[in-house]
C-alpha cells in the first residue's frame, strides 16, 4: 500500500515537473512591450507568453496576467520584468488538498466488488436489440440547463427530418408530469420571454418534436427572480481581481454567467463587451459565436 | 505421503485459504491499477475453448431458426416485412427491435396493425431495474402482443456470457425474448428451462452467423426469396451486419477470435438470441459445477501440493525450489487445461482458478507458516515438524 502511494506521489511530481508555465495577458492599460525570442512587440489582450518572455511596462501602465489558467496577478510599476521570476505565481492553490486526497483514497478503497452471478440486476444494462426510434430532433447539450430571469433568449432545436411544423411542450416534471404549455410552430425555436408570463420562479422542463411525433428528451429551465439574478451578478462583479477595464469586466461576466447557465444575461454582457471595445477581436468573435451557437437572431 | 496427515500440513493448507480470503477482502481498487483490472475482469479461461480448442466449430446449421435482416428498414417497411413473413405461417416470429417513441403516425398505425394481426409474435421489451416500472415496453402496447425482454447479463461493453430466463416483479413474471419465443415454439423445452430454476444461465454459444439461415429483408419484399421458407420455423427479425466496423447492436461474445485484449464486437444481438433459443430447444445447457465442489477440490489439491512441498522443504531442501516451481507450473497448466477440456467436451464449467491461485500462493504461505510455527514452538512449546525435522538451509 505504501509503495502504491509513493508511486502515485512520484507520478504526480513527474507530471508537474514536465509542464512549463504559460502566461496569458488578461488585461492591460498604457504601454506594455513584449520581448520574446529577440522580437519586440506591443502587448495585446489575449497574447500568450512563454516563461522566457519579458515585459517592459511604461509609466502609469498596468498589465494583468493569468498563469497556467490558475492564478491571476498584475504588474503596475514601470520597469522591465522577466516572467521566469513569476513562476511562483503559477503554483496551484490546492485548498483542502488533504481532505480531497483522503476522500479520493476513501472512494478508491470502498467500492464493493460484484459480479453478474452475485447481482445480475446490476448487469442487465446491455440491450440486445436494435432501436428504430431515432429521434428526429436535436437539442444542443449546452441548453440542458438554462437559468433565466428576463431578456431575450431562444429555446432552439434542429431537425433531422424535413418538417414544416414542430410541437413545443413545457412540463412540470422531468419524466412524466403535466403539460403546462404547448404550442405548434413553424420556427425551430421559442423565445423564453414570450412564455415568461406563464412561468413563476421554479423548475420547468421543455421539449420539442416534429409535429405528430414524440420526444422524450426534456431540458431544464429554471426561472429565478431578477433580484436573485442581480445578486449573483453583483457578487461576480465584486470579485477582487486585478485591474479590469469596463469591457473586460463585461466580458468576464459574460463568460461567468454562461458557465453558470444564465445564458440570456451572458448574451447581454458579451454584447456589451463587444460594443465597448469593438477593436478587440476576442470579444467580437465570442459574441458572434455565442449568437450562432444558440441560434440567436 | 509421509507428511500428508501431519497437523502442520493441514494448518499450512488452512493458512493458504486464510491468505486468499484476506487478499479478496482487501478492497484495493486504485485507478492506477485499472488497466489490469479492466483487462482481467472480462477474462474467462473458458473463452479459450472457442478460440483455441475450436469448441462447437462443427455444429450443424440450425434449420429450426430463420433470421431476417431488417437492415435500416423504417417502420413502414418493417410492417411490410412482418406481413410477408407471417403469411408463410411460421411457428413464432420474434421482432428484435425497440420502438421507444412515436414517429410518423401513418407508418406507426400500419406497423401497429401488423403487430396486432401477427399471430405468435414476440416483441422486444427491456428491463430497467433502476426504474420503478421495471418493464419498458415499446410504444405499441396491446395485450395481444407478447413481450420478451432483450437484456443480456454482462458488464458494460464486456463479453456477453449470461442471460436471465425470467424476471419477477411483485406478482408479474417477465420472460426473456428467447424464453418467450421457446414458450410458444416448444413448451416442453421451455418447461425444462423453468425446471432448472436458475436466475442466470450461461449461454452455450454453438453457432456463428453463417450457421443460421439469413434472409435479407429488402430481397424478401422484392419477392426474391423462395416460398414457404418460414413455414413452421422460428423467425427472428433483427439487425445483422457483417462489417466489423458496424457495431450497431453488436456485442463481444466468447466466440470472438480474440479471447483477451482489445477487439471488435463480433455478434449481433439477434444472433445471440438465436444461440440462446438453440440452446433451450436442444437442452444443451452449460452445467456449472457447484461452488462447494470447486472449493472442496481446491482444498484437496492444495493439501496434496502442500504435503509435497513440505516433504521437499524438510527432507530434500536442495531440490525444494526446483520441484516446487515445476509442480506449480505443471499444475497450473494441467488444471487450466482440465477446465477447458471439460467445458469443450462436456459443456461443464469447472472453475479451477481457485485451485491455481491456491497452489501459486502455497510456497510463500509455507514460508510464513514455518516462521509462525517455530515462534509458537519457542513461546508455547508448540510441536511442529519444522522444529523436529528442521532442514539444513546451508545444503
Amino acid at each position: 500500500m505504501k509503495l502504491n502511494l509513493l508511486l502515485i506521489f512520484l507520478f504526480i511530481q513527474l507530471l508537474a515537473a514536465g509542464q512549463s508555465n504559460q502566461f496569458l495577458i488578461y488585461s492591460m492599460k498604457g504601454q506594455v512591450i513584449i520581448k520574446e525570442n529577440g522580437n519586440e512587440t506591443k502587448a495585446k489582450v489575449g497574447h500568450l507568453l512563454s516563461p522566457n518572455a519579458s515585459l517592459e511596462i511604461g509609466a502609469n501602465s498596468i498589465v494583468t496576467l493569468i498563469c497556467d489558467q490558475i492564478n491571476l496577478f498584475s504588474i503596475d510599476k514601470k520597469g522591465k520584468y522577466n516572467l521566469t521570476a513569476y513562476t511562483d505565481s503559477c503554483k496551484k492553490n490546492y485548498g483542502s488538498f488533504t481532505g480531497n486526497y483522503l476522500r479520493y483514497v476513501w472512494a478508491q478503497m470502498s467500492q464493493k466488488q460484484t459480479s453478474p452471478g452475485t447481482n445480475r440486476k446490476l448487469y442487465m444494462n446491455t440491450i440486445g436489440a436494435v432501436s428504430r426510434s431515432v429521434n428526429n430532433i436535436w437539442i444542443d447539450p449546452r441548453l440542458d440547463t438554462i437559468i433565466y430571469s428576463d431578456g431575450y433568449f431562444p429555446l432552439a432545436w434542429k431537425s433531422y427530418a424535413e418538417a414544416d411544423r414542430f410541437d413545443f411542450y413545457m412540463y412540470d416534471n422531468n419524466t412524466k408530469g403535466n403539460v403546462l404549455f404547448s404550442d405548434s410552430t413553424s420556427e425551430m425555436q421559442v423565445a423564453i420571454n414570450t412564455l415568461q408570463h406563464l412561468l413563476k420562479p421554479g423548475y420547468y422542463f421543455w421539449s420539442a418534436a416534429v409535429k405528430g411525433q414524440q420526444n422524450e428528451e426534456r431540458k431544464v429551465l429554471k426561472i429565478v427572480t431578477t433580484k436573485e439574478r442581480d445578486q449573483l451578478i453583483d457578487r461576480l462583479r465584486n470579485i477582487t481581481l486585478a485591474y479590469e477595464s469596463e469591457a473586460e469586466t463585461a466580458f468576464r461576466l459574460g463568460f461567468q454567467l454562461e458557465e453558470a447557465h444564465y445564458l440570456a444575461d451572458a448574451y447581454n454582457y458579451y454584447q456589451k463587451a463587444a460594443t465597448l471595445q469593438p477593436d478587440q477581436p476576442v470579444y467580437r468573435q465570442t459574441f458572434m459565436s455565442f449568437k450562432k451557437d444558440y441560434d440567436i437572431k | 505421503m509421509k507428511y500428508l496427515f501431519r497437523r502442520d500440513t493441514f494448518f499450512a493448507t488452512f493458512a493458504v485459504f486464510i491468505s486468499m480470503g484476506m487478499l479478496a477482502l482487501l478492497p484495493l481498487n486504485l485507478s492506477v491499477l485499472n488497466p489490469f483490472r479492466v483487462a482481467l475482469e472480462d477474462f474467462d479461461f473458458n473463452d479459450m475453448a472457442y478460440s483455441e480448442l475450436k469448441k462447437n466449430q462443427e455444429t450443424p446449421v440450425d434449420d429450426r431458426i430463420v433470421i431476417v435482416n431488417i437492415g435500416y428498414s423504417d417502420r413502414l417497411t418493417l410492417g411490410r416485412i412482418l406481413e410477408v413473413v407471417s403469411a408463410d405461417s411460421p411457428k413464432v416470429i420474434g421482432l428484435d427491435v425497440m420502438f421507444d417513441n412515436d414517429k410518423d403516425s401513418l407508418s406507426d398505425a400500419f406497423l401497429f396493425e401488423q403487430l396486432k394481426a401477427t399471430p405468435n409474435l414476440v416483441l422486444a421489451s427491456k428491463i430497467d431495474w433502476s426504474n420503478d416500472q421495471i418493464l419498458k415496453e415499446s410504444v405499441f402496447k396491446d395485450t395481444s402482443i407478447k413481450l420478451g425482454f432483450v437484456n443480456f447479463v454482462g458488464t458494460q461493453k464486456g463479453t456477453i456470457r449470461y442471460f436471465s430466463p425470467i424476471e419477477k416483479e411483485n406478482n408479474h413474471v417477465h420472460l426473456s425474448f428467447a424464453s418467450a419465443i421457446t414458450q410458444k415454439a416448444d413448451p416442453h423445452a421451455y418447461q425444462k428451462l423453468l425446471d432448472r430454476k436458475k436466475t442466470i444461465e450461461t449461454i452455450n454459444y454453438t453457432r456463428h452467423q453463417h450457421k443460421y439461415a439469413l434472409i435479407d429483408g429488402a430481397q424478401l419484399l422484392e419477392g426474391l426469396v423462395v416460398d414457404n421458407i418460414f413455414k413452421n420455423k422460428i423467425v427472428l427479425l433483427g439487425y445483422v451486419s457483417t462489417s466489423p466496423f458496424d457495431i450497431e447492436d453488436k456485442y463481444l461474445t466468447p466466440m470472438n477470435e480474440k479471447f483477451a485484449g482489445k477487439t471488435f464486437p463480433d455478434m449481433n444481438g439477434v444472433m445471440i438470441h438465436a444461440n440462446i433459443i438453440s440452446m433451450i430447444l436442444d437442452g444443451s445447457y452449460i452445467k456449472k459445477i457447484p461452488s462447494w465442489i470447486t472449493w472442496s477440490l481446491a482444498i484437496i489439491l492444495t493439501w496434496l501440493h502442500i504435503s509435497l512441498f513440505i516433504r521437499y522443504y524438510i527432507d530434500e531442501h536442495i531440490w525444494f525450489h526446483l520441484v516446487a516451481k515445476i509442480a506449480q507450473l505443471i499444475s497450473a497448466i494441467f488444471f487450466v487445461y482440465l477446465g477447458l477440456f471439460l467445458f469443450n467436451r462436456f459443456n461443464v464449467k469447472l472453475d479451477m482458478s481457485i485451485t491455481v491461485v491456491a497452489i501459486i500462493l502455497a510456497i510463500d504461505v509455507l514460508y510464513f507458516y514455518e516462521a509462525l510455527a517455530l515462534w509458537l514452538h519457542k513461546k508455547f512449546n508448540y510441536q511442529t515438524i519444522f522444529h523436529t525435522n528442521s532442514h539444513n538451509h546451508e545444503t
Side-chain angles (χ1 to χ4, degrees), chain A residues 167-171 179-183 205-209 212-213:
Chain A
D167 289 330
F168 173 84
Y169 297 97
M170 187 70 75
Y171 302 89
V179 177
L180 299 174
F181 172 77
S182 68
D183 191 16
F205 304 87
W206 67 279
S207 182
Q213 299 183 11

Side-chain angles (χ1 to χ4, degrees), chain B residues 45 294 297-298 301 335-336 338-339 350-357:
Chain B
F45 276 117
T294 309
L297 204 59
L301 291 169
F335 292 130
V336 168
L338 179 69
L350 175 63
D351 185 3
M352 294 302 288
S353 57
I354 301 165
T355 307
V356 172
V357 170

Side-chain angles (χ1 to χ4, degrees), chain A residues 119-133:
Chain A
N119 190 354
R120 74 183 184 288
K121 290 179 184 177
L122 273 181
Y123 292 90
M124 288 185 68
N125 299 319
T126 306
I127 309 299
V130 72
S131 174
R132 286 293 173 261
S133 310

Side-chain angles (χ1 to χ4, degrees), chain A residues 196-213:
Chain A
Q196 203 185 359
H197 64 285
L198 298 167
L199 306 171
K200 292 175 184 169
Y203 283 93
Y204 300 91
F205 304 87
W206 67 279
S207 182
V210 172
K211 188 157 184 64
Q213 299 183 11

Side-chain angles (χ1 to χ4, degrees), chain A residues 96-122:
Chain A
S96 58
F97 173 77
T98 312
N100 288 338
Y101 180 69
L102 290 173
R103 273 195 290 277
Y104 165 76
V105 172
W106 178 265
Q108 291 292 319
M109 296 191 69
S110 59
Q111 281 187 20
K112 286 183 180 174
Q113 301 287 324
T114 58
S115 69
T118 56
N119 190 354
R120 74 183 184 288
K121 290 179 184 177
L122 273 181

Side-chain angles (χ1 to χ4, degrees), chain A residues 1 4-5 8 11 104-105 107-111 113 116-118 120-136 176 212-216, chain B residues 27-31 70-73 75 96-104 126 129 149-156 160 164 167 199-200 239 248-249 251 273:
Chain A
M1 185 62 200
N4 282 333
L5 293 177
I8 293 167
F11 183 62
Y104 165 76
V105 172
Q108 291 292 319
M109 296 191 69
S110 59
Q111 281 187 20
Q113 301 287 324
T118 56
R120 74 183 184 288
K121 290 179 184 177
L122 273 181
Y123 292 90
M124 288 185 68
N125 299 319
T126 306
I127 309 299
V130 72
S131 174
R132 286 293 173 261
S133 310
V134 179
N135 194 6
N136 283 325
K176 296 166 191 168
Q213 299 183 11
Q214 282 187 348
N215 180 7
E216 291 185 350
Chain B
L28 196 65
N29 190 32
L30 292 169
S31 305
I70 60 165
Y72 295 103
S73 303
R75 292 183 180 185
D96 186 28
V97 183
M98 288 298 304
F99 306 100
D100 289 329
N101 44 39
D102 295 324
K103 292 200 80 178
D104 172 55
K126 58 187 174 189
W129 281 109
F149 64 84
V150 289
N151 308 59
F152 300 124
V153 180
T155 54
Q156 200 76 27
I160 302 298
S164 165
E167 287 294 331
T199 51
I200 61 168
Y239 180 73
E248 187 180 12
D249 190 32
Y251 309 94
H273 293 301

